[in-house]
Each structure stands twice: as structure tokens, then as C-alpha cells.
Amino acid sequence: MYINAMGHYVPSGRVPNEYFEKVNGLTPDWILQRTGISTRSKAEADENCDTMAQEAVENALKNLPYDIKEVDLIVGAYYAVYDSVATTAHVIQQKYAIKHAKVVYASAACSSFINGLEIAEGYFAMGKAKRALIICSEHNTYYSNEKDPKCGHLWGDAAVAFFVSKEKERDDDIEILDIFTEGLGDVGKGPGGVKLRPGEDGISMPDGRDVFINACRYMIYALNNALEHTNLSHDDITKFICHQANKRIVAQVAHQLGKPLDEFINNIEELGNTGSASAPLVLSQHKGEFKKGDIIALMVFGGGYSCGCFIIKI
């Protein structure tokens, strides 16, 4: 399985830490020390999941080696939906007139994007698709309650679009060595750890400590499972990318792995927690910095709970 092209979109708006001191009483220094966030991205009033996804697709199309109309599977993989009936995946199908493609939507909290890749892997294995578009567009600020001192200051907005294929399309395609996901609803606070209930209090995180503990544990668990399938070790990984939930989580994962922080790539300080788009977003933003043969591991943990990891070779 190969990545043929990847693209991303990040809204230009930024919300600084100073804003939240007036809204929920948290000081800029407290937020930075506890989360590693200085600013977070915020979509404009006329932007939403659909518009951000289209921008990400346009960004990816610049390097796509085939016509987008040759895509036969579109997977919308995200949780902060704009419309859960006419999904972003269906909007993209209409926009680019991708006839006869299978179109599905999947949500697994911040593991959603990796689950989307795994769905494509399954369709490829069954012979029901050959080329897929995975779309992940998170409009967290559409739902977040900025007055919530537990998590209202965490959220950012962004979108990514990855074109993947069963067979290699060209020499510089990125090979996906393994994809691992697992549901963790039976772990810790499980479904109650992080919630998104638009009609109630938006995105909430009743127990951040439980999320922190399990995120550190299960991102490494997901990494180890993916590595086992590839016969690689931690030392074979060139760079690590964690879900951008909290920089302290990244530091703890690095500590547990015995790895220096400079082997981990982050964007959380500027963009905040961009949900299930965050890890693939980091990859797309830094794609020009990797060398042929580099091996990158992307690890995620999602509220609900869930975890995942995919490993690529440049």
C-alpha cells in the first residue's frame, strides 16, 4: 500500500493564550507549561469541514500522478462533522465528479484518520478498490466551549487529504509498511474520557489525567504492535510523530522509549490539538524534509478510547 500524494490545509487565524485569561481565567504561562500550546488555529466564519477538506485536496492534487476521477474509494475519517448525512466525503465526490466510487464515513475519535487508512487497506485486500482518497477535516472550534477551563483552550482546526493506492504508482511513492488500530472502550474512563455532544457542552474532557495516562501507554502499545508486524525496532525509526494532544504527552512517550525529543516532530505549539488530523498534518507539513529510506512512525490515541499507529518508508 502506497501514499501517492498528501496535502493539508490550516486556517490562517490564530488564537493566542492571552485570549483565554479573559474567557476562563487560565494564564498564558499556565497553558503553555501544561500543554505546550502558545496559539491554536481557528477557521473563519465562512469555513467548515467541507471547505477545509477541499483546500487540503487541492493541495494534494499538485503532486497526484493520476486523474482524481480514477479514485474508486473515498473515506471521510474524522469526528468533528459539519453534516453527518451529507458527509464531507460525499461533498468531495460531487465537487470533483468522481463517479462510481465507494464513499464511506468513519469516526474513531483522534484515531479516525488511521482507521480510514485501514478501511482502504481492507477494500484493497478484497479487490473492491485500487485507489483511495482519505479525507480528515477537523473543525474543533465549531464545537468547543472556550469557557471550559479543562479543555476549552486546547482545540485547533485543520484538514488533510491523502491519496493512497494498492500498487506503487511511481518511484517516489511512500510505502505504508503497517497499519495498526484498536478500540479501547474498555480501558480507564473509556467512552467518558473525552466527549463531543453538540447539543450539550460541545467537546469536553471530564478526566484529563486518565486521558494523559492512557495516551502515553497506548501510543507506545500501538507502535510496538505495528513494529512487530514489520520486524523493525524502535532504533529503526528515523522520526516519530505523535497525536498533537499535549506536548507533555509527547515528552513522556519519548522518555518511555528512551528517545531524545528531537526525534519527535510537533506542531502543537502553534496549532493546538487539531484532532485526528494532527499526526498526518505534521507528516504533510514536513514531507519535504525527509530523505529516501527514512522510516516514520505515526502514533495516535483517541478519546473514547482508541489507539493506532502506521509506519511508512520514504
Side-chain angles (χ1 to χ4, degrees):
M1 187 169 168
Y2 299 87
I3 299 173
N4 317 125
M6 64 179 89
H8 62 272
Y9 174 72
V10 180
S12 59
R14 297 289 181 272
V15 180
N17 286 349
E18 288 75 12
Y19 170 81
F20 292 95
E21 189 165 13
K22 306 169 189 175
V23 175
N24 60 22
L26 300 180
T27 66
D29 287 343
W30 187 93
I31 294 174
L32 180 61
Q33 290 171 9
R34 294 298 183 95
T35 69
I37 300 171
S38 294
T39 65
R40 63 283 297 144
S41 53
K42 185 172 183 176
E44 300 294 337
D46 60 348
E47 293 183 309
N48 55 52
C49 284
D50 294 350
T51 63
M52 291 192 292
Q54 184 178 326
E55 293 288 349
V57 171
E58 286 291 322
N59 185 246
L61 283 176
K62 298 173 184 176
N63 296 302
L64 188 65
Y66 47 83
D67 192 314
I68 190 173
K69 291 181 174 58
E70 295 178 33
V71 165
D72 49 13
L73 171 65
I74 306 172
V75 183
Y78 49 89
Y79 60 81
V81 296
Y82 175 62
D83 186 333
S84 60
V85 177
T87 74
T88 295
H90 292 89
V91 170
I92 293 299
Q93 181 185 30
Q94 180 191 55
K95 170 66 180 178
Y96 295 97
I98 308 172
K99 294 184 180 297
H100 309 301
K102 294 171 175 60
V103 181
V104 298
Y105 162 68
S107 175
C110 290
S111 299
S112 297
F113 177 84
I114 298 184
N115 280 95
L117 284 178
E118 197 169 42
I119 289 169
E121 182 183 41
Y123 272 88
F124 291 167
M126 291 185 290
K128 293 189 174 184
K130 294 181 179 180
R131 291 170 173 153
L133 168 58
I134 317 299
I135 304 162
C136 179
S137 185
E138 299 287 23
H139 192 179
N140 287 304
T141 63
Y142 186 56
Y143 294 106
S144 63
N145 175 10
E146 294 176 339
K147 295 180 181 179
D148 180 358
K150 289 188 176 181
C151 69
H153 52 288
L154 299 178
W155 310 108
D157 303 324
V160 294
F162 280 45
F163 289 87
V164 299
S165 62
K166 181 177 181 178
E167 306 295 340
K168 181 181 283 191
E169 298 285 344
R170 59 184 175 189
D171 289 342
D172 58 352
D173 279 354
I174 297 171
E175 185 178 4
I176 300 176
L177 301 178
D178 193 72
I179 305 168
F180 174 85
T181 68
E182 193 168 294
L184 302 170
D186 58 331
V187 171
K189 301 293 184 179
V194 185
K195 297 179 287 187
L196 172 49
R197 298 179 179 175
E200 298 177 20
D201 51 0
I203 304 177
S204 63
M205 190 182 297
D207 196 330
R209 176 173 173 77
D210 193 68
V211 173
F212 187 99
I213 291 170
N214 285 295
C216 295
R217 176 183 178 185
Y218 282 100
M219 279 200 281
I220 294 174
Y221 169 82
L223 169 67
N224 289 339
N225 274 275
L227 287 172
E228 184 178 344
H229 298 157
T230 59
N231 293 317
L232 296 171
S233 71
H234 296 159
D235 292 336
D236 293 314
I237 305 300
T238 308
K239 292 290 183 182
F240 298 87
I241 299 174
C242 292
H243 165 47
Q244 303 293 289
N246 185 313
K247 205 164 185 179
R248 291 168 66 207
I249 292 176
V250 178
Q252 182 61 23
V253 169
H255 173 72
Q256 290 184 35
L257 291 175
K259 296 292 182 181
L261 266 175
D262 61 9
E263 291 187 16
F264 290 73
I265 314 175
N266 301 288
N267 64 15
I268 189 171
E269 183 170 355
E270 180 192 357
L271 303 183
N273 182 346
T274 53
S276 58
S278 73
L281 174 61
V282 172
L283 179 64
S284 183
Q285 287 179 313
H286 293 268
K287 58 192 173 189
E289 301 172 15
F290 303 122
K291 305 185 301 295
K292 193 71 173 176
D294 282 351
I295 298 175
I296 318 298
L298 294 92
M299 303 167 280
V300 302
F301 177 82
Y305 292 141
S306 61
C307 68
C309 176
F310 73 102
I311 299 174
I312 63 171
K313 184 175 182 178
I314 303 296

